[in-house]
Amino acid sequence: MIDALRDTCKKLLEEVTVDVIVGYGRTVPGGPVHAVFITDAEDVSRLVWDKHCLPNLTVYLTRPEVRALGRPGIILKGCDARSLLVLQQEGQIDRTEMRAIGVACDGVDGAITGKCAWCDVHIPQNVNEVVGTTDAGVADDGARYREVRVFMAKPLEERLAFWKDEFA
């Protein structure tokens, strides 16, 4: 999948569809993943995609130094594509001036990735193109909301007492 991602990004840069690719990279092999900003098509080999690509790259789209690089192409997981939609709705980005490259995602590693167990957007939505496929199934909403259903089945007085205690 990484070859397809790099080919897509290279094509976007060569055709001057975008001026910069905001993606994932490493400074040293096996090192931590961080954001990279690719402006030359020959540098797409710096892009990586694996289970360590945890950061949400959309945070860079509103930064002046990134805006100064020109029209962005951004690599997104399904959960990150939701952030892009919020930035657009808030008027913080102009979606017509950029390309969103979705990457099929089976989940990532990290301390905050419990969300991956419940993810239902393994294939990013509202992007210009999607790279890759996934074997991940749809999240089991039955298990996901089990605790909520148990709580909501309790009498109103018991639920009210719970929330009063929580807010005390």
Side-chain angles (χ1 to χ4, degrees):
M1 181 162 60
I2 188 62
D3 291 333
L5 178 61
R6 289 174 177 162
D7 290 344
T8 297
C9 294
K10 184 174 185 172
K11 180 179 175 188
L12 290 171
L13 287 165
E14 286 176 341
E15 295 176 352
V16 197
T17 304
V18 299
D19 300 307
V20 60
I21 296 290
V22 181
Y24 299 97
R26 284 189 174 86
T27 304
V28 295
V33 172
H34 55 81
V36 293
F37 306 91
I38 309 291
T39 56
D40 186 335
E42 298 308 311
D43 291 336
V44 296
S45 62
R46 293 178 46 210
L47 293 171
V48 299
W49 176 257
D50 60 27
K51 64 182 182 172
H52 301 290
C53 294
L54 178 62
N56 180 346
L57 300 176
T58 61
V59 299
Y60 295 101
L61 294 175
T62 59
R63 295 189 178 174
E65 57 272 21
V66 174
R67 288 181 182 230
L69 295 173
R71 294 167 307 192
I74 186 166
I75 297 172
L76 300 167
K77 301 180 297 290
C79 53
D80 301 338
R82 292 176 173 176
S83 299
L84 188 70
L85 186 59
V86 171
L87 290 174
Q88 179 185 358
Q89 289 172 337
E90 292 177 346
Q92 295 186 53
I93 61 167
D94 182 355
R95 194 58 184 81
T96 63
E97 294 294 318
M98 62 177 298
R99 296 290 291 208
I101 306 138
V103 180
C105 179
D106 289 325
V108 293
D109 280 349
I112 63 169
T113 58
K115 67 180 183 175
C116 293
W118 308 114
C119 180
D120 57 358
V121 287
H122 297 286
I123 303 294
Q125 304 295 308
N126 303 311
V127 295
N128 298 99
E129 52 222 295
V130 175
V131 176
T133 60
T134 179
D135 294 329
V138 175
D140 177 7
D141 281 344
R144 181 179 189 179
Y145 296 110
R146 184 174 298 125
E147 290 181 36
V148 173
R149 284 193 304 278
V150 168
F151 179 78
M152 294 305 291
K154 293 179 180 184
L156 178 62
E157 297 79 22
E158 192 175 335
R159 294 191 322 249
L160 181 60
F162 170 83
W163 286 114
K164 282 182 177 179
D165 184 54
E166 287 294 307
F167 289 119

